[in-house]
Amino acid sequence: MSGAALVGYSGSSGSEDEESGGARAGPTAPRLPVPSSVLNMFRDQEEEVVDDSTKHGGRVRNFPHVRGNWTTYVYMPYEASEDFLELLELLISHARTYAVSLTAMEEFHISLSQSVVLRYHWITPFVQSLKQHLATAYRFFCTVDQVKVYTNQNKTRTFVGLEVSSGHPQLLELVSGVDRVMEEFDLPTFYKNPSFHISLAWCVGDLTDRLEGQCLQKLQETVDGFEDSAFLLRIQWEQIRCKSGNKLFSFPLRQLGPDFFRSSQLLQLPLASRNPP
Protein backbone atom coordinates (compact mmCIF):
# COMPACT_ATOMS: atom_id res chain seq x y z
CA MET A 1 0.00 0.00 0.00
CA SER A 2 1.52 3.32 -1.01
CA GLY A 3 1.44 6.62 0.80
CA ALA A 4 -0.34 8.24 -2.16
CA ALA A 5 -3.12 5.67 -2.01
CA LEU A 6 -3.62 6.28 1.69
CA VAL A 7 -3.77 10.03 1.31
CA GLY A 8 -6.18 9.73 -1.57
CA TYR A 9 -8.67 7.71 0.49
CA SER A 10 -11.83 9.73 1.15
CA GLY A 11 -14.39 9.50 3.93
CA SER A 12 -17.16 11.19 1.93
CA SER A 13 -20.13 9.38 0.40
CA GLY A 14 -20.09 7.93 -3.11
CA SER A 15 -19.52 10.95 -5.32
CA GLU A 16 -17.69 8.75 -7.81
CA ASP A 17 -20.91 6.84 -8.55
CA GLU A 18 -22.84 10.07 -9.08
CA GLU A 19 -20.26 11.49 -11.52
CA SER A 20 -20.11 8.31 -13.55
CA GLY A 21 -23.88 7.88 -13.65
CA GLY A 22 -23.77 4.65 -11.62
CA ALA A 23 -26.92 3.57 -9.75
CA ARG A 24 -26.77 2.85 -6.04
CA ALA A 25 -27.58 -0.73 -5.08
CA GLY A 26 -28.87 0.37 -1.69
CA PRO A 27 -27.81 2.12 1.49
CA THR A 28 -24.17 1.57 2.53
CA ALA A 29 -22.45 1.87 5.88
CA PRO A 30 -20.57 5.17 6.40
CA ARG A 31 -16.81 5.02 5.79
CA LEU A 32 -14.60 5.57 8.77
CA PRO A 33 -11.84 8.21 8.39
CA VAL A 34 -8.27 6.92 8.06
CA PRO A 35 -6.27 7.66 11.26
CA SER A 36 -3.68 10.41 10.89
CA SER A 37 -0.99 8.02 12.17
CA VAL A 38 -1.62 5.82 9.15
CA LEU A 39 -1.72 8.75 6.74
CA ASN A 40 1.70 9.91 7.96
CA MET A 41 3.25 6.44 7.96
CA PHE A 42 4.93 6.75 4.56
CA ARG A 43 5.20 10.53 4.31
CA ASP A 44 8.92 10.65 5.18
CA GLN A 45 9.74 8.36 2.25
CA GLU A 46 9.31 11.24 -0.17
CA GLU A 47 11.34 14.42 -0.37
CA GLU A 48 8.78 17.15 -0.93
CA VAL A 49 10.28 19.54 -3.50
CA VAL A 50 8.70 22.29 -5.58
CA ASP A 51 10.86 23.41 -8.53
CA ASP A 52 10.19 27.15 -8.53
CA SER A 53 13.36 29.18 -9.06
CA THR A 54 11.53 32.46 -8.32
CA LYS A 55 11.26 31.40 -4.68
CA HIS A 56 15.01 31.10 -4.16
CA GLY A 57 16.70 33.90 -6.03
CA GLY A 58 16.65 32.37 -9.49
CA ARG A 59 18.72 29.33 -8.54
CA VAL A 60 18.29 26.32 -10.83
CA ARG A 61 18.51 22.69 -9.69
CA ASN A 62 21.49 20.80 -11.09
CA PHE A 63 19.21 17.84 -11.84
CA PRO A 64 15.41 17.57 -11.84
CA HIS A 65 13.58 16.27 -8.82
CA VAL A 66 12.28 12.72 -9.19
CA ARG A 67 9.86 11.27 -6.65
CA GLY A 68 11.69 8.84 -4.39
CA ASN A 69 15.13 10.32 -5.14
CA TRP A 70 16.87 12.14 -2.27
CA THR A 71 19.60 14.69 -2.96
CA THR A 72 22.53 13.81 -0.71
CA TYR A 73 25.92 15.31 0.10
CA VAL A 74 28.63 15.08 2.77
CA TYR A 75 30.28 18.14 4.31
CA MET A 76 31.83 19.75 7.38
CA PRO A 77 29.70 22.54 8.88
CA TYR A 78 31.09 25.88 10.05
CA GLU A 79 29.25 27.97 12.63
CA ALA A 80 29.97 31.58 11.65
CA SER A 81 30.91 34.05 14.39
CA GLU A 82 29.89 37.71 14.41
CA ASP A 83 33.39 38.70 13.25
CA PHE A 84 33.16 36.27 10.33
CA LEU A 85 29.80 37.72 9.28
CA GLU A 86 31.24 41.23 9.56
CA LEU A 87 34.06 40.25 7.19
CA LEU A 88 31.50 38.75 4.82
CA GLU A 89 29.52 42.01 4.74
CA LEU A 90 32.69 43.92 3.85
CA LEU A 91 33.41 41.55 0.97
CA ILE A 92 29.86 41.83 -0.38
CA SER A 93 30.08 45.63 -0.15
CA HIS A 94 33.37 45.75 -2.08
CA ALA A 95 32.00 43.40 -4.76
CA ARG A 96 29.05 45.75 -5.21
CA THR A 97 31.43 48.54 -6.27
CA TYR A 98 32.40 46.31 -9.19
CA ALA A 99 28.76 45.93 -10.29
CA VAL A 100 28.33 42.50 -8.75
CA SER A 101 25.42 41.98 -6.35
CA LEU A 102 26.20 39.00 -4.13
CA THR A 103 23.86 37.13 -1.80
CA ALA A 104 25.37 35.78 1.41
CA MET A 105 25.18 32.02 1.93
CA GLU A 106 22.66 30.92 4.55
CA GLU A 107 25.02 28.23 5.84
CA PHE A 108 28.78 27.69 5.62
CA HIS A 109 30.66 24.44 5.11
CA ILE A 110 33.44 22.60 3.30
CA SER A 111 32.17 19.95 0.90
CA LEU A 112 33.55 16.41 1.07
CA SER A 113 31.41 15.01 -1.75
CA GLN A 114 29.47 15.99 -4.81
CA SER A 115 25.69 16.14 -4.59
CA VAL A 116 24.40 12.69 -5.47
CA VAL A 117 21.00 11.01 -5.61
CA LEU A 118 19.95 8.23 -3.24
CA ARG A 119 16.83 6.13 -3.28
CA TYR A 120 15.02 6.17 0.06
CA HIS A 121 15.91 2.58 0.96
CA TRP A 122 19.62 3.34 0.38
CA ILE A 123 19.82 6.09 3.01
CA THR A 124 20.26 3.91 6.10
CA PRO A 125 22.97 1.61 4.68
CA PHE A 126 24.70 4.63 3.11
CA VAL A 127 24.85 6.44 6.47
CA GLN A 128 25.99 3.28 8.27
CA SER A 129 28.83 2.87 5.77
CA LEU A 130 29.85 6.51 6.23
CA LYS A 131 29.95 6.03 10.00
CA GLN A 132 32.21 3.00 9.59
CA HIS A 133 34.66 4.65 7.16
CA LEU A 134 34.92 7.88 9.20
CA ALA A 135 35.14 6.26 12.64
CA THR A 136 38.91 6.75 12.99
CA ALA A 137 39.03 10.41 11.83
CA TYR A 138 40.37 12.96 14.33
CA ARG A 139 39.63 16.65 14.81
CA PHE A 140 42.04 18.99 13.07
CA PHE A 141 42.69 22.63 12.19
CA CYS A 142 42.84 24.22 8.77
CA THR A 143 43.22 27.78 7.52
CA VAL A 144 40.81 29.32 4.99
CA ASP A 145 42.22 32.68 3.92
CA GLN A 146 42.56 32.70 0.13
CA VAL A 147 39.72 34.44 -1.76
CA LYS A 148 38.73 32.55 -4.89
CA VAL A 149 35.93 32.63 -7.48
CA TYR A 150 34.04 29.47 -8.39
CA THR A 151 31.17 28.46 -10.66
CA ASN A 152 28.95 25.41 -10.50
CA GLN A 153 29.22 22.77 -13.20
CA ASN A 154 26.54 24.18 -15.49
CA LYS A 155 27.66 27.82 -15.00
CA THR A 156 24.30 28.94 -13.61
CA ARG A 157 25.79 30.36 -10.41
CA THR A 158 29.03 32.07 -9.39
CA PHE A 159 30.45 31.90 -5.88
CA VAL A 160 33.03 33.79 -3.87
CA GLY A 161 34.76 31.52 -1.39
CA LEU A 162 37.69 31.20 0.98
CA GLU A 163 40.06 28.46 -0.14
CA VAL A 164 41.94 26.25 2.30
CA SER A 165 45.64 27.11 2.55
CA SER A 166 46.56 24.59 5.28
CA GLY A 167 44.93 21.33 6.33
CA HIS A 168 44.70 19.94 2.80
CA PRO A 169 46.13 16.45 3.63
CA GLN A 170 43.56 15.87 6.38
CA LEU A 171 40.73 16.88 4.05
CA LEU A 172 41.98 14.54 1.34
CA GLU A 173 42.02 11.70 3.87
CA LEU A 174 38.38 12.36 4.75
CA VAL A 175 37.41 12.53 1.08
CA SER A 176 39.12 9.18 0.53
CA GLY A 177 36.83 7.60 3.12
CA VAL A 178 33.73 9.25 1.66
CA ASP A 179 34.75 8.18 -1.86
CA ARG A 180 34.93 4.55 -0.79
CA VAL A 181 31.32 4.78 0.36
CA MET A 182 30.31 6.39 -2.95
CA GLU A 183 31.97 3.55 -4.85
CA GLU A 184 30.04 0.98 -2.78
CA PHE A 185 26.79 2.53 -4.02
CA ASP A 186 28.05 3.17 -7.57
CA LEU A 187 27.86 6.94 -7.12
CA PRO A 188 30.21 9.69 -8.40
CA THR A 189 33.28 10.30 -6.25
CA PHE A 190 34.68 13.74 -5.41
CA TYR A 191 36.56 15.95 -7.86
CA LYS A 192 40.19 15.21 -8.68
CA ASN A 193 42.61 17.77 -7.23
CA PRO A 194 39.80 19.52 -5.32
CA SER A 195 39.94 23.15 -4.23
CA PHE A 196 38.57 22.86 -0.69
CA HIS A 197 36.79 26.05 0.30
CA ILE A 198 33.98 27.70 2.22
CA SER A 199 31.52 29.42 -0.11
CA LEU A 200 30.66 32.87 1.24
CA ALA A 201 28.24 34.42 -1.26
CA TRP A 202 26.75 33.79 -4.69
CA CYS A 203 25.07 35.37 -7.70
CA VAL A 204 23.08 34.03 -10.62
CA GLY A 205 24.95 33.38 -13.88
CA ASP A 206 28.65 33.25 -14.72
CA LEU A 207 30.15 36.54 -13.51
CA THR A 208 33.71 35.28 -13.22
CA ASP A 209 35.09 38.05 -15.44
CA ARG A 210 33.69 40.78 -13.19
CA LEU A 211 34.85 39.21 -9.95
CA GLU A 212 38.38 38.27 -10.94
CA GLY A 213 41.19 40.77 -11.56
CA GLN A 214 40.95 44.02 -9.60
CA CYS A 215 37.84 42.95 -7.70
CA LEU A 216 39.46 39.72 -6.50
CA GLN A 217 42.59 41.63 -5.49
CA LYS A 218 40.49 44.06 -3.44
CA LEU A 219 38.64 41.20 -1.75
CA GLN A 220 41.92 39.49 -0.82
CA GLU A 221 43.31 42.74 0.61
CA THR A 222 40.15 43.03 2.71
CA VAL A 223 40.65 39.55 4.13
CA ASP A 224 44.36 40.08 4.79
CA GLY A 225 43.74 43.41 6.51
CA PHE A 226 40.78 42.34 8.63
CA GLU A 227 41.44 42.49 12.38
CA ASP A 228 42.60 39.15 13.78
CA SER A 229 42.02 37.45 10.42
CA ALA A 230 44.79 34.91 11.09
CA PHE A 231 42.98 33.77 14.23
CA LEU A 232 39.48 34.11 12.78
CA LEU A 233 40.18 32.00 9.69
CA ARG A 234 41.97 29.16 11.48
CA ILE A 235 39.17 26.68 12.06
CA GLN A 236 38.99 23.49 14.07
CA TRP A 237 36.71 20.91 12.49
CA GLU A 238 34.80 18.79 14.97
CA GLN A 239 32.19 16.91 12.95
CA ILE A 240 31.11 15.69 9.54
CA ARG A 241 27.53 15.81 8.38
CA CYS A 242 25.50 14.08 5.71
CA LYS A 243 22.30 15.67 4.47
CA SER A 244 19.85 13.56 2.49
CA GLY A 245 16.68 15.40 1.56
CA ASN A 246 15.29 16.68 4.86
CA LYS A 247 17.29 14.19 6.96
CA LEU A 248 20.49 15.25 8.71
CA PHE A 249 23.15 12.90 10.11
CA SER A 250 26.19 13.88 12.18
CA PHE A 251 29.51 12.07 12.66
CA PRO A 252 31.66 13.59 15.45
CA LEU A 253 35.40 13.53 14.84
CA ARG A 254 37.51 11.95 17.56
CA GLN A 255 39.35 14.08 20.10
CA LEU A 256 43.10 13.74 20.46
CA GLY A 257 43.79 12.19 23.84
CA PRO A 258 46.53 13.13 26.34
CA ASP A 259 48.71 10.23 25.16
CA PHE A 260 48.95 11.86 21.74
CA PHE A 261 50.10 15.19 23.16
CA ARG A 262 52.63 13.50 25.49
CA SER A 263 54.13 11.59 22.57
CA SER A 264 54.23 14.77 20.47
CA GLN A 265 56.07 16.64 23.21
CA LEU A 266 58.47 13.75 23.64
CA LEU A 267 59.36 13.80 19.94
CA GLN A 268 60.24 17.49 20.24
CA LEU A 269 62.77 16.85 23.02
CA PRO A 270 66.48 16.25 22.31
CA LEU A 271 67.33 12.57 22.01
CA ALA A 272 69.35 12.64 25.24
CA SER A 273 66.31 13.89 27.16
CA ARG A 274 63.85 11.25 25.97
CA ASN A 275 65.15 8.51 28.27
CA PRO A 276 66.22 10.18 31.51
CA PRO A 277 68.09 7.96 34.02
Side-chain angles (χ1 to χ4, degrees), residues 22-44:
R24 292 187 180 275
T28 59
R31 296 177 179 177
L32 296 176
V34 179
S36 59
S37 59
V38 177
L39 292 175
N40 294 326
M41 187 180 300
F42 301 100
R43 189 160 292 172
D44 68 341

Side-chain angles (χ1 to χ4, degrees), residues 31-242:
R31 296 177 179 177
L32 296 176
V34 179
S36 59
S37 59
V38 177
L39 292 175
N40 294 326
M41 187 180 300
F42 301 100
R43 189 160 292 172
D44 68 341
Q45 296 187 14
E46 301 294 345
E47 180 187 0
E48 186 175 349
V49 175
V50 177
D51 289 328
D52 186 355
S53 62
T54 62
K55 294 183 178 180
H56 36 78
R59 288 175 289 176
V60 180
R61 293 175 63 90
N62 290 333
F63 36 79
H65 173 69
V66 177
R67 184 176 291 273
N69 286 353
W70 289 56
T71 303
T72 304
Y73 60 99
V74 184
Y75 63 98
M76 294 192 304
Y78 173 63
E79 299 295 333
S81 64
E82 290 185 8
D83 288 341
F84 186 88
L85 296 177
E86 181 182 343
L87 173 59
L88 175 55
E89 286 298 322
L90 283 175
L91 295 175
I92 291 176
S93 177
H94 287 312
R96 197 176 296 121
T97 64
Y98 290 86
V100 179
S101 180
L102 295 173
T103 300
M105 301 293 293
E106 296 179 358
E107 298 179 350
F108 305 96
H109 67 267
I110 287 183
S111 295
L112 299 177
S113 79
Q114 297 191 57
S115 292
V116 297
V117 172
L118 285 179
R119 299 295 294 174
Y120 178 79
H121 60 277
W122 288 358
I123 296 176
T124 297
F126 182 87
V127 170
Q128 290 174 342
S129 185
L130 274 178
K131 182 178 181 180
Q132 177 184 354
H133 283 86
L134 299 174
T136 59
Y138 284 92
R139 298 180 181 186
F140 65 98
F141 284 93
C142 73
T143 304
V144 287
D145 57 2
Q146 302 299 306
V147 184
K148 195 165 183 179
V149 178
Y150 301 89
T151 59
N152 59 357
Q153 289 182 324
N154 50 14
K155 306 292 185 180
T156 59
R157 281 207 288 169
T158 305
F159 300 84
V160 172
L162 287 175
E163 186 182 30
V164 169
S165 60
S166 68
H168 204 268
Q170 293 92 329
L171 290 167
L172 285 176
E173 185 175 354
L174 293 178
V175 167
S176 178
V178 175
D179 277 351
R180 288 195 291 272
V181 178
M182 295 295 180
E183 290 170 350
E184 289 178 11
F185 289 82
D186 197 25
L187 295 169
T189 56
F190 204 45
Y191 309 104
K192 293 183 178 179
N193 303 316
S195 172
F196 295 109
H197 64 279
I198 296 178
S199 292
L200 302 176
W202 61 276
C203 58
V204 174
D206 184 358
L207 300 186
T208 306
D209 292 342
R210 294 189 194 178
L211 286 167
E212 291 186 339
Q214 290 185 350
C215 180
L216 185 61
Q217 182 178 351
K218 179 62 177 178
L219 298 182
Q220 186 64 61
E221 291 174 354
T222 302
V223 169
D224 295 340
F226 193 75
E227 185 177 2
D228 295 330
S229 63
F231 174 78
L232 175 64
L233 301 178
R234 186 172 184 264
I235 302 170
Q236 183 182 34
W237 301 103
E238 300 181 351
Q239 64 175 299
I240 298 171
R241 288 181 183 171
C242 173

